[in-house]
Each structure stands twice: as structure tokens, then as C-alpha cells.
Amino acid sequence: MSKQLLHTPEGVRDIYGAEYAKKLKIQEILHHKIQSFGFSDIQTPTFEFFDVFSSEVGTVPSKELYKFFDKEGNTLVLRPDFTPSMARCAAKYFMEEDIPIRFSYVGNTFVNTSNLQGKLKEVTQMGAELIGDASIEADAEMISLVVEALRATGLREFQVSIGQVDFFKGLCEEVGLNEETEWQLRELIANKNYFGAEELLHASQVAQEKIAVILKVTDMFGAKEALREASALVHNERSINAIRRLERLYELLVLYQVDTHISFDLGMLSKYNYYTGVIFKAYTYGVGDAIVTGGRYDTLLHQFGKEAAAIGCMVVIDDLMEALASQQITVSMDDRHIILLYQSADYTTTLQLAQQLRAQGNLVELMPFQKNKTPEQYREFAKYNKTLQIMIPESPERVSILAVATGIVEQVTITALLEGDRQA
């Protein structure tokens, strides 16, 4: 077999052992928090019809989709984004439902971009979608869920930056930009290219004083005070209402006691065109991009035939893991993983011990003892795999226990071990 086949394609990777166990634990923590807000799990296909993620929907550009054909000639794509799939499901199964629907999901997404810059083409995402609720209370709940979920993983130093798509759209309407120019300006501002934005506005014959206002307010970020400053500079109703909604949102986030993690960025714009109102991103140390994104998408379900407002959030699990590792934050793992060494002659009694320990809730790995391995070699292997103890039966009555963390060996009776006089 070619050695090339031992490697993965660019932008994807294997994950196993202790690292994968940590990933699953993080997903478990986040999932528990999402469920505590009343969200129910849903699983959607890994691939869907191309139209679910078409340009009209406003998701990932077509050139970045993994596309292929089924036997009938239909164009299919690996999902690049969960939100359109959630919208499709809500329209298909809850078309007549007018009570809010709560979805939660976890799975991998696939984006075929050549500009990796250290990013993966396949990542695991976990998120929540609240469909059928247009209220500002829903906005506050979703952002508070993000803060509480990140706190639950042990993360403390992070910031959720909040923007408002309607604020930007109101500015564009105020100066009379057409849809194409608005999209070009959106790209420039999203990339913080203010020189390019100024040139585009000049070319569109926007008055200099209006250009100055647009460039100033879209560069405003910080605490609640930035909202007051921006409100004094704009004169269109759409932008003013967007500011008022952000101010009310902040009041609700104070009630949730998450305001210490909140800031505002009026220049924030998403690469997804389906967002319509509040949008947000969570940032922390050790990762160059947002670890959480989300926002309101009140017109997306219309693409699938259902009229319903919606808001959602999405955590990039891989980036969150990188942040936790960078900040040396330890995720609490199950500490009852035991390696139980055996020799062939003692296999029957060792197996009985393993079964009894498993019945008590321990994770027991039976491993044949190799005479050419030293206790230290077994200990190093156990450390790498985050194993708590190594047990070596010395007789039908006694067992030696090597504490992996300290290297201390203790002999106990099997009876005491199983009866709990000596904690496994």
C-alpha cells in the first residue's frame, strides 16, 4: 500500500485516544447546558440537495461546497452549515406550527476552501436554533446560553461581541446604495478595509459627511456607551430602531448576569447573508477566529415555504478545544479508568475482577502483561491515555495498585477493594 494512503487529505485530521475523549466530554458539557434551556436534539443528513445551500439561501459560496451527484443526476453537497438544514426541517415537519420550536444539533460541517490559514475543512459544530420566536427575549436567551455554555467548559476569559445587521442596512438605505454596492461595502467593512470602503462610497457619489459617518459608526465597538454615541450620529429609523433593540438587549443580559462578557461591534457583519437582525461572535485567547457565532435569521425559513422568525448559535468544538488547551484549562474527565494487567494463567480470576469493577462503574481495560515492559513504561502509556490506575493481581486475594499520577504502589486485598474500604 502506498505510504500516501496513510495520511489524510489537506484540511482534515484523525482524532483519537485522550484527545477524542476530551472532545466528547466537552460536547457532553455543552449538550447538557443546551438541553437545560429546553432544546431537543435533531439529526440531519450529512449531505443534502444543492438548493438547500444555494446562493439564494445566503450561506457558503458555491465554490466552497463539496459537490457530487446521485444516480438520478441530482446535485448534492456535504453540509457546510447547519442553519439551512434546521430551517428546512422546521418547514418540512412543522409547517403549520406557530408555537416556538427548539432544535439542538451536533455534527461535522465541510467547507472546501483553499485559503486554510490553519483552519480545518471539516470541523465539529454544536448549536441551538430557536424557531418561531421574534422577541428580544429570545435574543437575550440565546446569547446568555452561549455565555453559560462556555463558562461550563471552564472558560473564563472570553467576550461575546454583538452587532446588528439592520443597523448597517439602515445606513445603506440612508445614503441610497443599491443592493450590489451594499454587498461590496459589507465585504469591505467585514474585513476592516476602511480605505476600500471609502473609495467605494466616493465612487457611488455619497456625500463626504455621510461617508465620514458610515466609516465612524461601523468602526465603533466597546461597551454600552458605544451605542449611545452611534445613535447620535444616525438619522434613519431602521438604524435607530436597531440601536434601541441592542440597548434593550443589554438590559436583559444584565438580568441574566452575563453582561461582564458582553461588548458591541456595530461594524460586525457575517459572511452568511441570511442574518437579518442581531448577530454575535464569541472570542477568546489562543484562537484566531470566533469560537461561537450566531444571530437572527427571520427570513431564511421563507426560502423553504414557512414564515417564521428564528435565532441560533453555533460552537466550533475544535476551536474551543484549542482555546482550552492554549489557556491550560483542564476539562474534568472520568477518573475511574483502570488498566488491569493479567497473565494467561490468571486470566479467569482477573476477568472476574474486571467484571466486578465494571459493575461498580469503573472503566476497566484488560491488558496482557509483557515481561519486557517495565512498570514505568506502563505508567507512561497510562499517563498518555489519561488512565487513573494500573492494577496487577498478585494472588487470588491481593492486588497491587499503581497510582499513575504519583507512581506510588499500594497493595490491598481484593475484598477491601470491591467492598469500598479502598476506593478504586
Side-chain angles (χ1 to χ4, degrees), residues 52-332:
V52 174
F53 303 102
S54 67
S55 58
E56 289 78 13
V57 172
T59 181
V60 174
S62 176
K63 65 181 180 180
E64 295 182 0
L65 299 175
Y66 281 99
K67 297 184 282 286
F68 56 101
F69 301 98
D70 64 12
K71 62 182 181 180
E72 285 80 27
N74 298 305
T75 304
L76 308 176
V77 298
L78 294 178
R79 64 175 172 233
D81 170 22
F82 270 96
T83 302
S85 294
M86 298 297 109
R88 177 192 58 74
C89 281
K92 180 177 180 180
Y93 300 108
F94 301 93
M95 178 60 76
E96 306 303 324
E97 185 63 77
D98 59 0
I99 294 177
I101 307 159
R102 293 170 181 259
F103 289 150
S104 67
Y105 62 83
V106 63
N108 288 9
T109 58
F110 310 83
V111 178
N112 187 19
T113 175
S114 57
N115 186 22
L116 291 176
Q117 296 180 336
K119 297 180 181 179
L120 294 169
K121 294 184 176 183
E122 178 186 14
V123 297
T124 303
Q125 297 182 354
M126 178 177 285
E129 310 290 340
L130 176 49
I131 297 169
D133 190 341
S135 70
I136 194 167
E137 288 79 11
D139 296 352
E141 180 178 334
M142 191 61 66
I143 294 171
S144 299
L145 169 57
V146 168
V147 174
E148 291 191 26
L150 292 179
R151 283 175 177 171
T153 67
L155 205 62
R156 291 294 176 266
E157 297 186 44
F158 64 90
Q159 202 73 9
V160 180
S161 189
I162 304 174
Q164 240 286 359
V165 174
D166 269 345
F167 177 79
F168 174 76
K169 286 184 172 293
L171 286 175
C172 293
E173 289 174 359
E174 186 175 327
V175 298
L177 296 183
N178 59 40
E179 186 175 348
E180 182 181 353
T181 306
E182 176 189 324
W183 183 250
Q184 291 174 334
L185 181 63
R186 180 192 187 111
E187 289 271 308
L188 292 166
I189 289 175
N191 294 321
K192 305 297 182 184
N193 183 357
Y194 296 110
F195 292 108
E198 185 174 11
E199 288 181 5
L200 177 65
L201 291 168
H202 273 304
S204 301
Q205 299 182 330
V206 176
Q208 182 59 46
E209 62 271 18
K210 294 289 187 181
I211 293 176
V213 169
I214 290 174
L215 295 181
K216 184 173 182 179
V217 296
T218 53
D219 196 29
M220 284 182 177
F221 58 91
K224 185 184 177 184
E225 289 68 31
L227 300 180
R228 296 196 194 100
E229 188 178 353
S231 181
L233 292 172
V234 297
H235 305 288
N236 69 87
E237 186 176 358
R238 189 171 187 178
S239 294
I240 291 172
N241 287 340
I243 292 288
R244 288 174 180 166
R245 188 172 177 110
L246 288 179
E247 289 174 335
R248 175 56 182 156
L249 173 61
Y250 183 79
E251 293 173 359
L252 295 175
L253 294 173
V254 171
L255 290 179
Y256 271 100
Q257 299 181 341
V258 298
D259 50 295
T260 54
H261 292 284
I262 301 303
S263 62
F264 295 95
D265 182 357
L266 295 176
M268 179 189 296
L269 295 166
S270 173
K271 66 179 181 180
Y272 298 137
N273 200 27
Y274 51 67
Y275 285 127
T276 56
V278 64
I279 55 175
F280 52 87
K281 296 179 181 180
Y283 296 93
T284 189
Y285 300 109
V287 182
D289 206 349
I291 58 173
V292 181
T293 61
R296 179 161 288 285
Y297 50 98
D298 289 346
T299 60
L300 177 58
L301 274 84
H302 173 77
Q303 299 286 341
F304 302 97
K306 181 178 174 65
E307 302 302 327
I311 186 170
C313 68
M314 177 277 295
V315 184
V316 184
I317 302 295
D318 306 82
D319 288 348
L320 175 57
M321 288 181 64
E322 185 179 344
L324 292 170
S326 175
Q327 297 178 38
Q328 298 182 331
I329 296 172
T330 302
V331 178
S332 179

Side-chain angles (χ1 to χ4, degrees), residues 409-423:
V409 178
E410 179 185 3
Q411 281 203 345
V412 300
T413 65
I414 291 177
T415 300
L417 176 66
L418 295 175
E419 289 181 351
D421 293 336
R422 199 288 180 193
Q423 182 66 35

